[in-house]
Amino acid sequence: MQTREVFSEIEKQRNQLTQTLMELIRIPAIGPENGGEGELAKAEKLTQILTAIGFDKIERYDAEDKRVQSKKRPNIVAYLNGETDTERLWIITHLDIVPPGEESMWTVTKPFEPIIKEGRIYGRGSEDNMQSMVASIFAAKVLKEMHIKPKRTMILAFVSDEEHGSEHGIQHLIKKGLFKKEDLIIVPDSGNENGSFIEIAEKSAYWFRIRTIGKQAHASRPHMGLNAHRLGMEFALALDKMLHEKYPAKDPCFDPPESTIEPTKKEKNVDAVNILPGEDLVYFDCRILPNYDLDKIASDIQRYAKEFENNTGAIIKIESLQKSVAPTPTDANARVVHMLREAIRKVRQIEPKVGGIGGGTCAAFFRKIPVPAVVWSTIDETAHQSNEYAHIDNIVNDAKVYALLALM
Ligand SMILES: [Zn+2]
C-alpha cells in the first residue's frame, strides 16, 4: 500500500523533476582537462536543492585541484536516515559533463539551453549523468515529504571528475573511508533502454596517443620532408586492423561482446594548407575483455610501432594516457544485485539480465576495495553525443526503483 502511494507521489512530481533537471543542465560542469572550470557552480545549485528538501545531513568533501579557479572539485554526500544503518543504500552520480562537441551538430537545441520535446529533455548532461541524479533526489524527496522513514539509510553522493579518472571524485571519497563492505552501492552511469540490464563487470581500458614525428617541409616539395600526417594515418589504420585481428574474442556476458578498439581524437597540426606536417597526433580508446592481458597488448603495440619506424623512417611514440585493468566483477549473487533485481521486477514487470559493459564507471573503484557495486539505469545511450536527451518516463520510473530499494 505504502509503496503504491510513494509511486503515485513520484508520478505527481513529474513536472518538478523535469524543471530540476533543466535547471541543472543550464550550469555546465566541465573538467579542466577539457578546458572547463570544474563543478563548483553546479554543486552550489545542487546544495540549495538538497537543503530545501531537508536531508538529515549534507557533507562536502572537496578535493584540491590547482587547475581550476576555485582550486576545488566538490563532492556532496547527502543522508536520509533510515531505521537501520546496516546495508545503507548509496546512489552515486557525477556532476561533471563532457563538452558539447561540435555545436553545429546540436540541431534540437543548444547544449546548455534544455528543451522538452516528445517526452524527452534535451541538453548536454541530460542523460549523463543528471537524469539519474534527479531520479535519486526525487526518490529521497518524496519519502521525506511523505514523512516515511526509509528502512535503510539512503545516501546520495554527487561526485566530481568522473569523466577523467575520478581522482578528485569517487576515489577521494573512498580515501576518506566512507564506504562499508555491507553497503549497497549503485552507480547509475550506464544502462539500457528498458532498464533490464544490471552491470556487474567491465572491460579493461587502454587509452593512448600516437605521436608520429616526420619532417616539416613546403607542401609543394614533399621530398624535402617526411609527411607525419600521412604516416600517422597509415600507422593508425594499420594498428587498428592488427589489433582487431589479433584480439577477436567475444564474451556474451558483455555488451558489446567483443573488445572495442577505436581511433578517436585527432589533434590539429599545421595552420596552413601548404605546410607538410612534421608531427601528427591521434588517439585510441580501447576497451578490452578482461581475459586478455593489457600489458601484452601494450607491448604488441610498441613492437608494431618499431616495425613501422624501420619501414618508414618516421618516429612513432606511443604515449599511454590511461591503462586500467578491469577489477574482479561484483558477485552476481551479491545482496545489492539481488535487491535491485527484485525492485526492477516489481516496478517494471521485467526480468533483468546481469552482465558486463565496456565503459569504465565509478563502480570499478568499489570493486577494487572490494565492495560490491552495480551499475544500472534506463537510458537510450545518448551520452557524449550531440542532441543528448533523457526520457522523462525513465527518470520517473528509475526514481520508483530507488525509493523501493530504500523501503525493501
Ligand atoms: Zn557518466
Side-chain angles (χ1 to χ4, degrees):
M1 191 55 201
Q2 191 191 44
T3 318
R4 219 182 315 155
E5 283 160 9
V6 170
F7 287 180
S8 87
E9 185 56 34
I10 292 173
E11 289 279 358
K12 275 188 211 142
Q13 301 215 3
R14 174 179 283 262
N15 279 341
Q16 272 189 55
L17 179 152
T18 306
Q19 291 311 317
T20 302
L21 177 51
M22 290 171 76
E23 249 178 299
L24 291 169
I25 291 170
R26 288 189 193 101
I27 311 168
I30 297 174
E33 298 84 358
N34 290 320
E37 273 304 328
E39 302 85 354
L40 193 61
K42 187 178 279 180
E44 278 165 359
K45 177 82 218 170
L46 197 59
T47 304
Q48 284 173 15
I49 294 169
L50 300 170
T51 306
I53 292 170
F55 277 84
D56 295 306
K57 187 168 64 170
I58 299 171
E59 295 172 337
R60 271 279 290 273
Y61 294 90
D62 292 352
E64 194 194 32
D65 190 344
K66 296 210 168 74
R67 298 169 302 173
V68 293
Q69 211 175 11
S70 66
K71 307 279 180 264
K72 51 191 166 189
R73 309 291 295 276
N75 296 287
I76 304 171
V77 182
Y79 297 77
L80 189 63
N81 293 338
E83 286 164 23
T84 166
D85 254 353
T86 54
E87 292 190 333
R88 302 176 303 171
L89 173 66
W90 287 84
I91 302 164
I92 301 163
T93 52
H94 64 86
L95 294 157
D96 57 321
I97 57 165
V98 291
E102 292 136 286
E103 297 240 5
S104 62
M105 307 283 277
W106 285 80
T107 51
V108 180
T109 186
K110 291 198 173 119
F112 304 113
E113 292 172 18
I115 58 158
I116 303 172
K117 206 176 164 186
E118 290 156 0
R120 300 160 168 183
I121 302 169
Y122 285 83
R124 174 54 91 224
S126 53
E127 178 184 290
D128 182 17
N129 191 211
M130 282 177 280
Q131 102 158 47
S132 294
M133 180 181 291
V134 169
S136 70
I137 293 168
F138 274 74
K141 177 174 184 283
V142 163
L143 296 179
K144 187 79 195 170
E145 287 171 359
M146 293 177 79
H147 305 289
I148 297 171
K149 190 167 194 171
K151 184 157 172 220
R152 64 195 71 259
T153 292
M154 196 175 179
I155 311 173
L156 308 189
F158 308 95
V159 297
S160 285
D161 197 20
E162 191 278 337
E163 299 291 355
H164 231 276
S166 293
E167 188 194 327
H168 305 90
I170 205 74
Q171 297 204 64
H172 185 69
L173 294 188
I174 288 174
K175 275 190 202 133
K176 298 277 171 198
L178 292 186
F179 305 100
K180 297 183 202 163
K181 253 198 175 61
E182 66 275 14
D183 285 343
L184 309 169
I185 295 180
I186 301 179
V187 188
D189 199 18
S190 180
N192 69 352
E193 74 292 345
N194 65 353
S196 65
F197 189 71
I198 301 174
E199 187 260 296
I200 55 162
E202 59 203 86
K203 294 174 186 169
S204 298
Y206 185 29
W207 294 3
F208 59 89
R209 174 170 53 218
I210 302 168
R211 185 185 297 273
T212 304
I213 300 164
K215 185 170 182 286
Q216 193 174 310
H218 195 290
S220 68
R221 306 194 50 75
H223 55 281
M224 304 288 285
L226 190 58
N227 191 333
H229 182 40
R230 178 189 288 119
L231 291 170
M233 288 194 291
E234 277 176 8
F235 178 70
L237 286 174
L239 180 71
D240 184 48
K241 191 159 177 279
M242 182 277 280
L243 291 173
H244 276 100
E245 283 170 2
K246 197 159 178 190
Y247 299 97
K250 290 186 186 226
D251 179 342
C253 275
F254 282 87
D255 179 26
E258 65 280 345
S259 301
T260 57
I261 298 151
E262 293 296 316
T264 52
K265 180 169 158 179
K266 178 81 186 69
E267 241 162 73
K268 167 185 168 302
N269 48 30
V270 289
D271 286 310
V273 182
N274 59 357
I275 299 174
L276 195 84
E279 188 172 77
D280 183 78
L281 290 164
V282 64
Y283 294 68
F284 268 71
D285 175 324
C286 305
R287 312 293 171 120
I288 307 295
L289 287 175
N291 50 326
Y292 283 132
D293 178 355
L294 221 50
D295 287 332
K296 175 157 186 320
I297 294 178
S299 71
D300 276 353
I301 295 171
Q302 290 294 355
R303 202 168 40 239
Y304 206 66
K306 273 275 157 290
E307 259 173 52
F308 192 84
E309 284 183 342
N310 294 340
N311 294 337
T312 61
I315 294 168
I316 305 275
K317 290 185 179 160
I318 307 294
E319 297 166 351
S320 175
L321 302 170
Q322 201 206 135
K323 202 166 140 211
S324 61
V325 176
T328 308
T330 289
D331 186 347
N333 296 313
R335 188 84 174 123
V336 61
V337 180
H338 173 78
M339 286 182 57
L340 182 56
R341 269 187 129 138
E342 197 59 37
I344 295 168
R345 278 188 199 117
K346 283 205 175 120
V347 175
R348 299 278 167 80
Q349 289 85 43
I350 51 171
E351 184 55 42
K353 180 177 176 268
V354 177
I357 59 156
T361 66
C362 294
F365 299 110
F366 295 105
R367 289 176 189 144
K368 277 173 192 158
I369 306 178
V371 172
V374 298
V375 179
W376 170 84
S377 65
T378 313
I379 52 170
D380 281 0
E381 300 191 76
T382 61
H384 298 211
Q385 297 176 17
S386 49
N387 301 322
E388 178 182 351
Y389 66 79
H391 272 289
I392 301 169
D393 281 345
N394 290 342
I395 311 175
V396 170
N397 289 324
D398 286 5
K400 290 180 194 169
V401 170
Y402 297 142
L404 184 55
L405 283 167
L407 296 171
M408 273 165 81

